[in-house]
Amino acid sequence: MSHAQDEDPAAQAHAVPPRRSRVGPTFAVVLLGYLTLPMAISGTTVALPRIGADLDAAGTALNWVVTGYFLAASSFMLVAGSLGDLFGRRSVFGLGAALYTAGTLASAAAGNILLLDAARVLSGIGAAGVMASGSSLLAVTFSAATGTADATRTRVFAAIGTASGVGLALGPTFSGWMVDGLGWRATFLTYAGAGALILLGTAFTRESRAETRPRVDKAGAATFIGALALTLFAVTQGSEEGWISVPTLLPLAAGLALLAGFVRIEKRAAQPVLDLSLTRDRAFVAWPIGAFGLGAGTTGILVFLPAYLQGTSGVGAREAGTILLLMTTPVLCLPPLGARLVNRGVPARRLIVTSLLLIAAGNAWLTTLHPGISAAALAGPLLTIGIGQGLSLGIIDAQALGMVAPERSGMASGFLNTVRGGTGAVMLTLFGALLLALLEARTGSAESAGRISAGDLPVRPVREHVLAAAQFTDSLRIALWCVAGLSAGLALLVHQLLRPPRARRRITPRPRPQPLPAKQPPP
């Protein structure tokens, strides 16, 4: 507790310490959120080919079912975390759950691709409230101020990482069964039901907020949301309109201008939505970069590998989701192992760097894919990627949030989850844009490239199907090599940022050689 709170009774009135009786319900409801939201993300990717067929959509419009969710979540994540610190983390968590549930229900009822994309954006805004406030709720509930040991805190966040891994692991398989059995609309209805349970569970959690209640940094919040949304939108436009076209450059310029304005506003704000001192701490920044690396190495695979398998090998959504278990099952099992290794003295820096190198190796290995490839042949690269992600998934939040004071946990959590959400939006867009560009160069048609990337390959004549499958394979291999190189580069960067400063060695000046005495002439 800060000295300011000890001296200011008004500040004490605003601080709401967590009660031990509410620890269990708080942990359970946050755990449910971290289980079901990743499940909805990875599960939706398996349903994209069926959604595209039912709503006559392909290319960018279809990918926005996932991209729009990521974009909205990343744009509002930081603001949601800071608002939770000010107005109450449980309140923002509950509002996020309500918006997520409403957006998911609207997704199930959407009659065209534009309405579905809009509903997914609403779901992403709600997810921002759940994810950012959920992490900060746990950070405060299990902080040192409540008597929680560091090892317990690490295990708690490892459990959250495990829940996220379970969601990622079960999402494709569960959605594959639902899509094949009841259709993609029933899948969204199921996820809406989970959102309603999260909203109900919020009533059993204890409210917490920062020690003081200053004015909201409205200018900072507005400029940040606008800057990030416009910049990410420009990235998505680049793949469709061209990277030097007006529809791409105009929102990009506006986004960068707002971002510069955001930095100036935050430097002067008494209570900024993002304390820029966080970004000057190289050790703290290393962990969001590590989180970016974990997501960057898997996002493209989660979205486009199911489409590739369904289009080139003729597997169903259920089988494609089952194959993805090879990558997502380690994410389910390994976060507790990573936390245990850190608690036993293994440097967290070594663990995150190893994870990023494994992801790089797995993406490079996956370039051996070909039409008709078996699950056994995919097992090696997918398991390697999954092991890399699972080892460090459970330690990032604990390491990053352990570097900040509890009253800033919402801000730090929001920043961390902004990076995670932005990773999904940026990598899905860039990976998809690269894949579409490569396919268009081979097919000579943007429409054909969009349909092939969605897994919609011509069935007859056979010669055209074989050609399209070969084009899809070559393009996907190049994209995977690019991801492998990016992951290796991020591993090197994180290694440097987390390297402990070397103690300066005292250099003793080397003594100058003494001149030899002059020789005496012989007597």
Side-chain angles (χ1 to χ4, degrees), residues 14-321:
H14 288 300
V16 185
R19 292 180 180 175
R20 301 303 299 175
S21 60
R22 297 294 182 97
V23 167
T26 300
F27 178 67
V29 72
V30 173
L31 200 69
L32 180 61
Y34 272 77
L35 170 69
T36 55
L37 270 65
M39 182 183 293
I41 295 171
S42 63
T44 303
T45 63
V46 176
L48 285 180
R50 189 69 60 85
I51 293 172
D54 287 353
L55 300 182
D56 192 25
T60 302
L62 180 60
N63 289 335
W64 257 79
V65 174
V66 178
T67 304
Y69 178 94
F70 277 132
L71 190 151
S74 57
S75 298
F76 282 85
M77 197 78 73
L78 177 61
V79 175
S82 293
L83 291 179
D85 287 343
L86 298 180
F87 296 114
R89 300 176 179 101
R90 185 186 71 172
S91 299
V92 175
F93 185 90
L95 177 60
L99 291 177
Y100 171 80
T101 303
T104 309
L105 283 173
S107 299
N112 58 64
I113 193 64
L114 293 180
L115 290 177
L116 178 58
D117 288 342
R120 291 290 288 167
V121 167
L122 180 62
S123 297
I125 295 173
V130 173
M131 302 295 282
S133 297
S135 292
S136 57
L137 273 173
L138 291 183
V140 173
T141 303
F142 295 93
S143 66
T146 62
T148 304
D150 289 342
T152 301
R153 179 189 178 96
T154 301
R155 286 195 297 269
V156 166
F157 279 102
I160 294 301
T162 301
S164 179
V166 171
L168 288 172
L170 296 182
T173 304
F174 173 78
S175 294
W177 281 84
M178 291 292 292
V179 170
D180 279 350
L182 300 175
W184 59 270
R185 297 183 187 275
T187 307
F188 281 123
L189 286 175
T190 304
Y191 293 138
L197 286 178
I198 297 171
L199 181 59
L200 179 63
T202 305
F204 300 95
T205 63
R206 180 71 177 174
E207 183 65 281
S208 68
R209 60 178 65 90
E211 295 176 353
T212 59
R213 294 285 301 278
R215 294 180 178 179
V216 180
D217 181 15
K218 297 178 181 178
T223 53
F224 179 80
I225 293 173
L228 191 57
L230 284 170
T231 303
L232 293 178
F233 178 74
V235 173
T236 64
Q237 284 290 95
S239 61
E240 185 174 3
E241 302 289 342
W243 294 102
I244 58 173
S245 64
V246 173
T248 300
L249 294 179
L250 190 60
L252 179 61
L256 294 177
L258 283 177
L259 185 60
F262 170 74
V263 173
R264 294 187 62 182
I265 291 171
E266 297 309 279
K267 287 181 178 179
R268 301 175 180 177
Q271 183 69 24
V273 71
L274 173 62
D275 188 344
L276 296 178
S277 64
L278 287 175
T279 63
R280 292 193 292 268
D281 185 343
R282 57 183 291 173
F284 174 83
V285 169
W287 292 106
I289 292 176
F292 176 87
L294 296 186
T298 57
T299 300
I301 297 171
L302 280 173
V303 175
F304 290 103
L305 184 60
Y308 176 83
L309 295 175
Q310 292 178 67
T312 64
S313 303
V315 304
R318 182 185 308 176
E319 186 178 351

Side-chain angles (χ1 to χ4, degrees), residues 185-487:
R185 297 183 187 275
T187 307
F188 281 123
L189 286 175
T190 304
Y191 293 138
L197 286 178
I198 297 171
L199 181 59
L200 179 63
T202 305
F204 300 95
T205 63
R206 180 71 177 174
E207 183 65 281
S208 68
R209 60 178 65 90
E211 295 176 353
T212 59
R213 294 285 301 278
R215 294 180 178 179
V216 180
D217 181 15
K218 297 178 181 178
T223 53
F224 179 80
I225 293 173
L228 191 57
L230 284 170
T231 303
L232 293 178
F233 178 74
V235 173
T236 64
Q237 284 290 95
S239 61
E240 185 174 3
E241 302 289 342
W243 294 102
I244 58 173
S245 64
V246 173
T248 300
L249 294 179
L250 190 60
L252 179 61
L256 294 177
L258 283 177
L259 185 60
F262 170 74
V263 173
R264 294 187 62 182
I265 291 171
E266 297 309 279
K267 287 181 178 179
R268 301 175 180 177
Q271 183 69 24
V273 71
L274 173 62
D275 188 344
L276 296 178
S277 64
L278 287 175
T279 63
R280 292 193 292 268
D281 185 343
R282 57 183 291 173
F284 174 83
V285 169
W287 292 106
I289 292 176
F292 176 87
L294 296 186
T298 57
T299 300
I301 297 171
L302 280 173
V303 175
F304 290 103
L305 184 60
Y308 176 83
L309 295 175
Q310 292 178 67
T312 64
S313 303
V315 304
R318 182 185 308 176
E319 186 178 351
T322 302
I323 290 174
L324 281 183
L325 281 174
L326 292 167
M327 184 176 73
T328 54
T329 297
V331 182
L332 159 66
C333 305
L334 293 183
L337 174 62
R340 192 176 300 117
L341 290 173
V342 171
N343 285 336
R344 292 187 177 183
V346 176
R349 172 174 64 96
R350 186 179 304 170
L351 211 58
I352 184 65
V353 171
T354 300
S355 291
L356 293 173
L357 291 176
L358 285 172
I359 290 174
N363 275 274
W365 191 356
L366 191 57
T367 59
T368 58
L369 87 173
H370 55 80
I373 190 171
S374 65
L378 290 169
L382 291 181
L383 284 171
T384 301
I385 296 170
I387 290 170
Q389 191 178 28
L391 272 177
S392 295
L393 190 65
I395 68 170
I396 289 179
D397 288 80
Q399 294 294 321
L401 297 183
M403 297 179 181
V404 302
E407 60 267 18
R408 297 200 303 169
S409 62
M411 179 189 300
S413 174
F415 180 71
L416 187 60
N417 283 288
T418 295
V419 173
R420 284 196 180 106
T423 300
V426 170
M427 285 305 300
L428 177 58
T429 301
L430 293 180
F431 193 99
L434 176 61
L435 187 62
L436 285 171
L438 293 168
L439 282 170
E440 185 175 355
R442 286 161 172 74
T443 62
S445 168
E447 182 180 356
S448 297
R451 294 200 174 277
I452 291 174
S453 68
D456 184 10
L457 277 64
V459 179
R460 288 186 176 83
V462 176
R463 185 171 53 122
E464 290 189 9
H465 176 82
V466 172
L467 177 60
Q471 293 167 338
F472 200 176
T473 301
D474 292 341
S475 302
L476 191 54
R477 285 174 177 173
I478 294 174
L480 290 170
W481 275 118
C482 292
V483 173
L486 174 63
S487 299

